[in-house]
Amino acid sequence: MNALKADPRTVDLRAQAPHFYSLAARMLELFEEEEMIDVLTETFKKRSTEIADQAHNPRGALGEGAEFLRGLDETERQLFKSAHESSKSTRTWIADIKKH
């Protein structure tokens, strides 16, 4: 928890648990910990911003991006995939408009 409080973007959540957020949600169903809820909410917000930035970079899955992807849990990977596909579709749409 201390690492998540310090800088959640640097924590390899996948190494902790491939389904980190699902596990955390289940734990919170069993134990109502306000501090844990706050830390996990802030963690998700901060990491989501970084995920969106990486996903909108056309080379986001290459170079440093590949290392970044390795640390994402399954929920974050789905978020990345959705954001990446959305960005890709938008670029294609804009290119099509410019052709006509």
Side-chain angles (χ1 to χ4, degrees):
M1 279 302 214
N2 288 334
L4 291 177
K5 288 179 189 177
D7 188 356
R9 294 168 296 180
T10 62
V11 178
D12 182 349
L13 292 185
R14 189 166 197 81
Q16 304 301 314
H19 298 273
F20 180 83
Y21 289 109
S22 296
L23 177 62
R26 180 67 180 128
M27 287 175 57
L28 291 173
E29 287 175 8
L30 300 172
F31 312 102
E32 290 189 27
E33 285 284 329
E34 287 300 318
E35 181 184 12
M36 184 183 281
I37 291 169
D38 293 342
V39 169
L40 292 173
T41 300
E42 283 305 307
T43 295
F44 191 77
K45 285 179 187 177
K46 289 179 181 176
R47 290 175 65 95
S48 294
T49 302
E50 182 75 19
I51 290 166
D53 288 345
Q54 292 283 337
H56 292 301
N57 178 350
R59 295 178 290 165
L62 305 172
E64 288 180 22
E67 185 65 32
F68 173 77
L69 289 174
R70 281 195 265 290
L72 302 181
D73 91 317
E74 288 303 316
T75 301
E76 293 172 328
R77 285 177 178 222
Q78 289 300 316
L79 178 62
F80 177 88
K81 182 179 177 184
S82 294
H84 183 72
E85 290 299 319
S86 173
S87 179
K88 187 175 159 184
S89 294
T90 301
R91 284 192 303 274
T92 301
W93 176 70
I94 290 171
D96 288 346
I97 288 175
K98 288 181 180 180
K99 287 180 186 176
H100 295 87

